[in-house]
Structure formats: C-alpha cells, structure tokens
Amino acid sequence: LQMLEEHRKRIYDDYLEEIRLSQETRGYLDHMIGDARTDMEKLQAIERELSSFTYTSMPGKLPESIGSAEEFLEYFLLESKEGYCTYFATAFVLLARAEGIPARYAQGFCVPMGESGFATVLSNMAHSWPEVYMEGVGWIPFEPTPGYGRLRYTPWKVRNRNEVLSYEE
C-alpha cells in the first residue's frame, strides 16, 4: 500500500506542474469547458475544442516572443489555431494540468491496420497524443488532433478472440 501511495505521489509530482494562464487564456479555457462538472467532461470538452482547430504539417515558425509553455498555449489557442499533432498534444496536456488533472505527452506511431493484420510503418506515421491519469483507472489516451479521432475512437471488428479484421467504417 505504501508503494502504491508513493507511485501515486510521483505521478502527481511529475505530471501536475503548475500552469500559469494569462487572463485571456483562462477565460478561453473556462468558456471551453463550460458547465462540465467532472474531470472526464472537462477533458472531453478540451478534446472537442482542440479537434475543431486546423491540422497542418507546415504551421510556420513560432513567433520569437514565445519563450514558455504558457506563451505557446496562448498563441496556439487565441491566434494560430493550427498546427500538427505535437501542438495539439502539448496544448491538451497544458490545459488538463491547468484544471488540476495530471497529464503527460506521448509519442509513437499511428498505423492503420488492414485486413491482413500487417502494415508497413513509415516515418510520416509518427504521432503524438496526450494521456491523462485518472484515479483508480490509470493512464487514458485522448486524441485532440483533427482527423485522428476517427482512427483513435473507431472500434475493431473481431470475428473471434484471435483475429482482428479491420476498423469499422
């Protein structure tokens, strides 16, 4: 039990740093989450808002004036509203932490599987996403990047326990 409590404390220490939002960014976040009451409702509202932004693989150079995570967040939310997966995952993590919810940034690959169960993994399939720690559950991935939600939240068709066929369309 002591090890479990130490592990939990480490999660909160490592993934819940203080995020200082400007008045404008705080107002935007408050509007975004609206009347959401639970952490899950807040996270779903954040995910929904960010996924309404524009995905681009060429967002251009960040302004020279951006020198902190909070400044990036304000620029992304209030000005550019476009970027690639790292922008969306970073913004989600910062917003979750601003709401007092432990969150982390994850990287890997998003590889759609065909019917064969085999796929070639290419560098352009690299992807990042946020994960949130929920007490009693563990780490839960979210998908705020526009266009990726379909892949993330699409159930698999399963003929039997040992065979995964494809994504449902």
Side-chain angles (χ1 to χ4, degrees), residues 31-100:
H31 178 73
M32 185 187 315
I33 60 175
D35 60 357
R37 294 184 179 192
T38 67
D39 286 350
M40 185 58 78
E41 288 173 346
K42 291 176 183 179
L43 295 166
Q44 289 170 330
I46 292 168
E47 180 182 57
R48 195 170 35 256
E49 178 71 13
L50 293 179
S51 66
S52 74
F53 287 14
T54 302
Y55 178 87
T56 178
S57 61
M58 299 179 68
K61 187 177 178 183
L62 291 174
E64 302 254 343
S65 61
I66 294 176
S68 70
E70 291 86 355
E71 289 171 346
F72 163 78
L73 182 62
E74 184 165 332
Y75 169 76
F76 181 64
L77 292 178
L78 305 178
E79 292 182 45
S80 79
K81 296 187 183 233
E82 70 175 17
Y84 43 87
C85 58
T86 59
Y87 286 44
F88 292 94
T90 299
F92 188 99
V93 167
L94 295 172
L95 292 169
R97 289 178 178 180
E99 283 299 304

Side-chain angles (χ1 to χ4, degrees), residues 56-154:
T56 178
S57 61
M58 299 179 68
K61 187 177 178 183
L62 291 174
E64 302 254 343
S65 61
I66 294 176
S68 70
E70 291 86 355
E71 289 171 346
F72 163 78
L73 182 62
E74 184 165 332
Y75 169 76
F76 181 64
L77 292 178
L78 305 178
E79 292 182 45
S80 79
K81 296 187 183 233
E82 70 175 17
Y84 43 87
C85 58
T86 59
Y87 286 44
F88 292 94
T90 299
F92 188 99
V93 167
L94 295 172
L95 292 169
R97 289 178 178 180
E99 283 299 304
I101 305 166
R104 68 185 179 189
Y105 175 96
Q107 285 184 293
F109 292 87
C110 183
V111 183
M113 298 298 292
E115 290 186 18
S116 70
F118 295 95
T120 301
V121 179
L122 305 172
S123 62
N124 69 352
M125 295 175 179
H127 188 54
S128 58
W129 61 93
E131 295 180 342
V132 173
Y133 183 76
M134 301 296 280
E135 198 69 43
V137 177
W139 291 101
I140 300 173
F142 282 81
E143 188 49 79
T145 303
Y148 281 82
R150 185 174 153 267
L151 294 172
R152 165 71 175 90
Y153 293 115
T154 304

